[in-house]
């Protein structure tokens, strides 16, 4: 088998493994299962994305979008650093995913960071990582005002999330 054929076969296997999985699969596990380095898997995923496969990279591993329709909404919120966990939990406990955080900076313009939390466990890991690394969140650059892209699988979940954010006083709404 030539190197090209070996690579094509490996790419097919990556797709098959991720299509069958209900949970994210780490690059290390894929590498081990396919007998290559993790860096090879990272390159394979990048290539597959470039030709149209919808892979999502999460802190727990890769997921292949299975074509489920998603509802996405950009929301404006405001709160302090000590309320980050509470805000993120409002989203994930009601069936949502926080994709990113965006702040407007007076010099640099829009600054975006990936959050990618969709479970209570994800939120705890995210907040603990911020504490362990003593990293300032982006909201510190904008007096607590920031935006999130929130994804859900249905309109009802999105409405519940917005209701909870509103109830907590986090949601900034147009008058």
């Amino acid at each position: 088998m030539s190197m090209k054929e070996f690579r094509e076969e490996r790419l097919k296997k990556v797709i098959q493994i991720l299509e069958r999985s209900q949970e994210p699969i780490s690059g290390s596990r894929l590498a081990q299962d396919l007998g290559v380095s993790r860096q090879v898997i990272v390159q394979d995923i990048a290539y597959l994305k470039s030709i149209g496969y919808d892979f999502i990279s999460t802190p727990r591993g890769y997921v292949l979008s299975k074509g489920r329709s998603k509802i996405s909404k950009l929301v404006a919120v405001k709160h302090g650093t000590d309320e980050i966990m509470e805000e993120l939990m409002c989203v994930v406990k009601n069936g949502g995913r926080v994709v990113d955080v965006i702040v407007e900076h007076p010099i640099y313009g829009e600054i975006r960071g990936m959050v990618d939390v969709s479970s209570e466990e994800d939120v705890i890991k995210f907040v603990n990582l911020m504490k362990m690394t003593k990293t300032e969140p982006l909201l510190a650059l904008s007096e607590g005002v920031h935006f999130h892209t929130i994804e859900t699988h249905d309109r009802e979940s999105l409405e519940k999330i917005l209701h909870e954010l509103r109830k907590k006083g986090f949601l900034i709404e147009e008058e």
Side-chain angles (χ1 to χ4, degrees):
M1 184 182 296
S2 73
M3 289 302 287
K4 183 179 179 183
E5 291 170 326
F6 178 74
R7 180 172 187 250
E8 288 173 3
E9 191 62 31
R10 186 180 66 245
L11 292 171
K12 287 178 189 174
K13 286 180 182 176
V14 167
I15 294 164
Q16 288 171 348
I17 291 168
L18 291 172
E19 279 178 335
R20 292 180 185 147
S21 178
Q22 298 298 314
E23 298 293 322
I25 299 181
S26 71
S28 298
R29 181 165 156 220
L30 283 169
Q32 183 179 5
D33 290 352
L34 298 173
V36 295
S37 71
R38 187 181 161 286
Q39 186 57 38
V40 168
I41 296 299
V42 170
Q43 291 170 355
D44 287 351
I45 296 290
Y47 171 75
L48 290 167
K49 280 183 175 184
S50 76
I51 62 169
Y53 284 90
D54 187 13
F55 287 104
I56 301 166
S57 301
T58 74
R60 296 181 319 271
Y62 298 108
V63 176
L64 178 60
S65 177
K66 294 180 172 56
R68 294 183 292 175
S69 61
K70 293 179 184 162
I71 298 169
S72 181
K73 181 167 179 71
L74 186 67
V75 297
V77 290
K78 181 178 182 178
H79 58 78
T81 302
D82 57 330
E83 297 169 304
I84 292 173
M85 182 177 285
E86 186 178 0
E87 175 212 30
L88 296 175
M89 287 293 191
C90 282
V91 176
V92 302
K93 284 182 175 182
N94 289 288
R97 173 176 171 247
V98 178
V99 176
D100 56 15
V101 59
I102 305 162
V103 296
E104 290 293 327
H105 191 274
I107 296 171
Y108 301 113
E110 183 179 286
I111 300 174
R112 179 185 306 252
M114 295 309 293
V115 177
D116 192 28
V117 296
S118 58
S119 69
E120 292 178 47
E121 181 184 342
D122 290 349
V123 171
I124 292 166
K125 285 180 182 177
F126 181 83
V127 171
N128 285 341
L129 181 62
M130 207 169 19
K131 287 178 183 175
M132 284 176 25
T133 59
K134 297 180 170 114
T135 303
E136 283 289 318
L138 287 179
L139 64 82
L141 298 173
S142 59
E143 298 177 358
V145 175
H146 57 287
F147 301 86
H148 287 299
T149 305
I150 295 176
E151 286 183 351
T152 65
H153 292 290
D154 56 69
R155 180 76 46 204
E156 183 180 323
S157 296
L158 180 60
E159 291 304 321
K160 279 192 220 174
I161 291 165
L162 295 174
H163 174 75
E164 287 300 311
L165 291 172
R166 190 176 294 115
K167 193 166 84 173
K168 300 269 185 192
F170 297 147
L171 195 61
I172 299 172
E173 298 184 270
E174 293 180 31
E175 298 292 324

